[in-house]
Amino acid sequence: MPILGIIASSISGNLDAGDFESIATVSVASGTSASLTFSSIPGTYTHLQVRGIARLSGGNGELDFQFNSDTSTNYNYHRIYGNGSSVVAEAGTSTTQATVGYYTAATSVFNGMVVDILDYANTNKYKTVRSLNGMDTNGAGIVFLDSSLWRSTSAITSITIFSKDGSRPLDQYSHFALYGIRSA
């Protein structure tokens, strides 16, 4: 039986893989890091996507983004998460960062995440962020769906990734990739 990816890669015609482009990667090569930053983000795409794996040192905690070094209370968020037996919903207004994930310090467990930043270069509207992230620890996993709003019409030119309270740095091998998505 042929592998579906091989079949899909042989399709010609309307398939255009050029609308999704790698921009940059950042990672913690050794030790820990308080934050990682994507800077000088070009304004030539319609949307951005950040994909990553991460673990926070020193305990469980929230992973957040700040745009253009904005530390003012210009962010709102909504979150729903579940672990297979219960579901929780949360919200926050006038925060100083966009909420994009929740991470654990469990040994050898890295959380995975995909974050979409919509219309990041549009200077006529606020920026919407949506994130899907989670982890599995041999049957005790958890999945998060977050959405955030950055109440600014500025184009996003930098993204700083850090833990919410700052006391839990990113562990070694935490890695993030930034992609640009062109409109169809």
Side-chain angles (χ1 to χ4, degrees):
M1 174 182 248
I3 299 172
L4 292 177
I6 293 172
I7 293 171
S9 67
S10 65
I11 298 172
S12 62
N14 294 330
L15 182 63
D16 183 6
D19 292 338
F20 195 86
E21 296 180 17
S22 175
I23 298 173
T25 60
V26 294
S27 61
V28 180
S30 64
T32 61
S33 178
S35 66
L36 295 170
T37 300
F38 292 109
S39 59
S40 303
I41 299 171
T44 55
Y45 302 97
T46 304
H47 310 296
L48 297 175
Q49 187 174 85
V50 177
R51 297 178 184 180
I53 59 168
R55 183 176 61 206
L56 297 179
S57 181
N60 297 342
E62 187 176 291
L63 193 70
D64 294 331
F65 285 8
Q66 280 181 337
F67 303 120
N68 301 353
S69 301
D70 180 6
T71 60
S72 297
T73 54
N74 293 327
Y75 303 86
N76 296 348
Y77 76 92
H78 293 93
R79 164 184 282 166
I80 186 169
Y81 60 95
N83 61 10
S85 61
S86 63
V87 176
V88 177
E90 301 174 347
T93 60
S94 300
T95 65
T96 58
Q97 64 277 327
T99 299
V100 296
Y102 187 82
Y103 287 75
T104 181
T107 305
S108 302
V109 175
F110 282 75
N111 296 44
M113 67 183 305
V114 177
V115 180
D116 293 312
I117 304 167
L118 307 177
D119 297 319
Y120 77 104
N122 188 330
T123 58
N124 295 314
K125 61 192 285 191
Y126 292 163
K127 309 308 178 276
T128 300
V129 180
R130 63 183 177 208
S131 171
L132 177 63
N133 65 92
M135 64 170 177
D136 180 49
T137 55
N138 293 326
I142 191 165
V143 174
F144 291 85
L145 179 60
D146 296 298
S147 66
S148 293
L149 177 70
W150 182 41
R151 295 185 318 273
S152 174
T153 57
S154 297
I156 294 173
T157 58
S158 72
I159 301 168
T160 301
I161 305 165
F162 62 99
S163 73
K164 181 176 187 167
D165 67 6
S167 68
R168 296 175 182 92
L170 292 156
D171 269 343
Q172 182 177 7
Y173 308 121
S174 294
H175 181 85
F176 299 89
L178 176 66
Y179 295 90
I181 302 170
R182 297 193 191 278
S183 64

